[in-house]
Amino acid sequence: MTGHAGSGPPRRLVVLRHAKSARPEGVADHERPLAPRGRADAPAAGRALAEAGCLPDLALCSTAVRARRTWELAAAQWDAPAPVRHDPRLYAAGVPELLAVVREAPAGAGTLLLIGHNPGLEDLVLTLAGDGLDDTLDRVREKFPTSAVAVLSWHGADWRDLAPGAALLTSVTVPRGGKG
């Protein structure tokens, strides 16, 4: 089995697709707000991360309004939210851009949270996962909906060492906050 073998301390990349957004007429894509369901699901994602023991040491977040609001609502569920970096490169990014931003994370961050958009996030998860537990890979291939959370585990001395196929996809969840 590939994926989680390697040298260095254990690390986790937690990939969170922004919560459901609205599409108001005349609003630029970057400025789209969360829909009512998204405003319910984002806190549910934060609670799910806390319950799973997956709180980040650092969050990397797209500058899009829907991603920033997802971060704010999720992090509000924690006693001590992690520092966040809003990076414009994460908006509409593909795998090369996403991986470049992740590889810039400080070595001291054992758990990194990445908040962004599809199709880039789904492609990143499938690129990094050399293997997955249970049916996690199939589930991501089938659909990576809004508010989906994928947890990738790997061992490495530094985030610069994260390479395609180097991680194990340990879980995929889609937290929902009820009627929105």
Side-chain angles (χ1 to χ4, degrees):
M1 176 155 55
T2 60
H4 53 291
S7 60
R11 296 185 180 278
R12 288 184 301 193
L13 177 61
V14 180
V15 179
L16 170 59
R17 184 176 173 199
H18 66 77
K20 183 75 174 170
S21 59
R23 296 183 180 272
E25 193 172 323
V27 175
D29 184 75
H30 188 273
E31 304 306 312
R32 287 174 34 215
L34 291 180
R37 189 179 97 200
R39 291 193 300 272
D41 291 350
R47 289 189 298 274
L49 289 174
E51 289 165 10
C54 273
L55 295 182
D57 299 309
L58 175 66
L60 303 173
C61 185
S62 163
T63 55
V65 169
R66 59 194 180 272
R68 290 194 325 248
R69 192 68 180 128
T70 298
W71 158 251
E72 291 164 1
L73 291 170
Q77 304 303 306
W78 311 330
D79 292 335
V84 61
R85 293 182 185 170
H86 294 95
D87 194 316
R89 296 174 294 170
L90 296 175
Y91 174 69
V95 171
E97 296 86 3
L98 292 168
L99 201 47
V101 173
V102 167
R103 286 176 173 159
E104 292 171 8
T111 298
L112 193 61
L113 174 62
L114 178 64
I115 304 168
H117 313 269
N118 254 7
L121 291 184
E122 179 179 329
D123 293 342
L124 179 69
V125 169
L126 294 173
T127 296
L128 293 175
D131 204 349
L133 297 181
D134 303 319
D135 64 345
T136 53
L137 282 168
D138 290 336
R139 291 175 55 212
V140 172
R141 285 185 194 107
E142 184 179 315
K143 187 175 187 182
F144 196 66
T146 55
S147 299
V149 177
V151 180
L152 295 150
S153 296
W154 67 288
H155 288 264
D158 196 286
W159 286 98
R160 291 177 296 207
D161 301 331
L162 181 56
L168 175 68
L169 183 58
T170 60
S171 70
V172 178
T173 57
V174 184
R176 294 293 185 221
K179 300 271 183 208

